[in-house]
Amino acid sequence: MMYSEKVMDHFTNPRNVGEIENADGVGEIGNAKCGDIMKMYLKIDNGTITDAKFKTFGCGAAIATSSMATELIKGKSIDDALKLTNDAVVEALDGLPAVKIHCSVLAEQAVRSALSDYYTRQGIDPLPIVGEVHMPEE
Ligand code: FES
């Protein structure tokens, strides 16, 4: 199994690790099969994601994809963050082995879970905006 240099870089030197105190949205998602868990913290100001941090208890690819996902959404609007797909994360990392694609889905869903929480805290039903937040099954 081969990992790209970017994956190795984000695994050995992950960006945005940690928690945000007073986060505006906190999401958590886990994969029942592998047992990996990802927690995502967002700071949101006027519809813009001003900060994103994560804590991942999981495999190297889960750490690399959460690191990249936080980098991709920082400074973006909520709308753009909602468009972030796991494919975009994989592409930004120059690819992932097929058996590790589900790790990138975890990162995608962790972002959506945090955005759901953000809307819930605003008293807004997140379902029509964010959709169903689901755990990858593989
Ligand atoms: Fe489960 Fe990577 S093996 S997230």
Side-chain angles (χ1 to χ4, degrees), residues 23-118:
D24 299 303
V26 180
E28 186 174 325
I29 197 97
N31 182 305
K33 249 189 182 163
C34 65
D36 290 356
I37 297 164
M38 209 177 271
K39 210 161 175 182
M40 184 75 62
Y41 303 81
L42 300 178
K43 199 79 200 156
I44 296 170
D45 191 19
N46 258 324
T48 300
I49 296 167
T50 54
D51 201 9
K53 288 201 189 301
F54 77 93
K55 275 184 160 178
T56 291
F57 184 83
C59 75
I63 290 164
T65 53
S66 26
S67 168
M68 183 54 92
T70 53
E71 286 286 274
L72 289 173
I73 61 170
K74 260 169 81 170
K76 297 271 168 67
S77 67
I78 293 177
D79 286 350
D80 284 343
L82 282 169
K83 286 184 207 128
L84 179 79
T85 60
N86 78 297
D87 286 338
V89 175
V90 171
E91 201 173 305
L93 287 168
D94 291 336
L96 272 181
V99 294
K100 289 291 176 184
I101 295 297
H102 80 271
C103 317
S104 67
V105 179
L106 208 59
E108 173 199 286
Q109 293 299 314
V111 171
R112 302 183 81 82
S113 170
L115 289 170
S116 271
D117 180 55
Y118 168 74

